[in-house]
Amino acid sequence: MLKGKLVDPVIKALVNNNAIDRFEDNMMPFKRLMAYYKCAIMEVETKFKVLNQEFSLEYDRNPIETIKTRLKSTDSIVKKLAKRDLPLTVESIEKNLNDIAGVRVICSFPEDIYVLADCLLQQDDIKLIQVKDYIKNPKPNGYRSLHLIVEIPIFLKDTKKNMRVEVQLRTIAMDFWASLDHKLSYKKDIPEEEEELLRQELLECAQISADLDKRMEKIKNRIVNNKI
Ligand code: GTP
Ligand code: MG
């Protein structure tokens, strides 16, 4: 079985032998599964677009700033399965990985996140699998976002299939913070001491940005409530 330290050389060997390419090319079931995840992404994205449209009619503003979607790359799927000692099969992907299909919804205000999440979860074709509320309970590094794993049906030629999708809801400020944090995590050549200082500073920025989110929301609500 693959162990942590062996994972990277193993992946390298798989890449060098074109094993991943062959895995993709020779496996119709794999391609089919990926196509199903793409359909699930489209379904979830449409649901958020519809909600945004309805809100803009009712409240004269769009709660959603942007929606970003992504399908996990084959490379990342293989790495994740290998890291967790799981079989490299289509069944295993479907059973063990919840983040093949990803939808990120970026809102202006924190309240919008919960309103949108509730609206989505109320829909009778959506099944909630898991919630991680990193807004009420931010990660120790300062990361904030609301994560949902949901199951959504896609309707095929003669069957219906339930697919899992990871939905991340965050504000513009949370997204801005997360992209900088992501940059730091991927930078390998920063001296340890400097990295520690940067992490400390990022944590402070997370607090400042959370305060800013709250203040901006209060201002917005005062403006809205003063409307005649
Ligand atoms: P994986 O990280 O996908 O293995 O899943 P997990 O079980 O740790 O799930 P979690 O819900 O905590 O995180 C899933 C995703 O959220 C990640 O892939 C990132 O996109 C995002 N995320 C979680 N934590 C952080 C963080 O500290 N910084 C940043 N920038 N993104 C994060
Ligand atoms: Mg992930």
Side-chain angles (χ1 to χ4, degrees), residues 10 38 42 47 51 64 85-86 93 96-97 128 131 136 152 181 190 216-217 221:
V10 168
K38 264 190 217 161
M42 290 192 280
K47 282 182 180 290
L51 289 170
I64 300 177
D85 276 355
L86 292 164
I93 293 170
N96 298 305
L97 304 185
L128 178 65
V131 186
K136 294 216 165 72
I152 185 165
D181 173 71
I190 303 178
M216 300 278 273
E217 185 163 76
N221 286 338

Side-chain angles (χ1 to χ4, degrees), residues 8 10 22 53 70 104-105 108 206:
D8 273 350
V10 168
R22 276 186 278 119
Q53 191 63 36
R70 76 102 181 86
R104 187 172 286 159
V105 181
S108 301

Side-chain angles (χ1 to χ4, degrees), residues 122-151:
Q122 271 170 26
Q123 301 185 8
D124 57 15
D125 52 350
I126 289 277
K127 182 175 166 198
L128 178 65
I129 305 294
Q130 184 192 69
V131 186
K132 283 188 197 169
D133 191 341
Y134 294 126
I135 299 174
K136 294 216 165 72
N137 306 297
K139 285 179 71 167
N141 63 354
Y143 177 79
R144 293 179 303 136
S145 282
L146 178 66
H147 292 188
L148 311 173
I149 306 291
V150 296
E151 221 166 63

Side-chain angles (χ1 to χ4, degrees), residues 27-63:
M27 284 188 76
M28 259 321 275
F30 176 73
K31 284 196 171 169
R32 188 170 298 131
L33 183 66
M34 291 300 119
Y36 292 167
Y37 279 118
K38 264 190 217 161
C39 296
I41 287 176
M42 290 192 280
E43 294 282 358
V44 172
E45 187 179 13
T46 302
K47 282 182 180 290
F48 281 114
K49 283 183 175 165
V50 169
L51 289 170
N52 204 31
Q53 191 63 36
E54 199 197 352
F55 265 82
S56 70
L57 284 174
E58 203 159 323
Y59 302 108
D60 212 18
R61 73 179 186 90
N62 292 319

Side-chain angles (χ1 to χ4, degrees), residues 159-221:
T159 174
K160 175 176 113 173
K161 218 171 143 45
N162 290 318
M163 305 302 298
R164 288 188 176 189
V165 179
E166 181 184 78
V167 181
Q168 298 180 351
L169 296 114
R170 45 170 83 151
T171 61
I172 301 168
M174 292 172 196
D175 190 51
F176 183 37
W177 185 94
S179 49
L180 199 53
D181 173 71
H182 191 256
K183 250 188 204 119
L184 179 60
S185 300
Y186 275 81
K187 197 96 175 125
K188 294 290 170 224
D189 51 0
I190 303 178
E192 222 170 282
E193 245 172 62
E194 173 69 355
E195 188 179 336
E196 193 42 49
L197 287 173
L198 289 173
R199 293 219 166 273
Q200 197 49 49
E201 192 132 354
L202 262 176
L203 182 56
E204 278 173 39
C205 286
Q207 194 48 59
I208 294 169
S209 135
D211 292 343
L212 183 64
D213 263 349
K214 275 187 209 128
R215 286 180 71 175
M216 300 278 273
E217 185 163 76
K218 271 191 195 151
I219 295 172
K220 185 265 295 172
N221 286 338

Side-chain angles (χ1 to χ4, degrees), residues 13-27:
L14 286 171
V15 172
N16 290 341
N17 287 332
N18 292 326
I20 293 178
D21 288 345
R22 276 186 278 119
F23 173 69
E24 268 184 322
D25 291 345
N26 296 334
M27 284 188 76

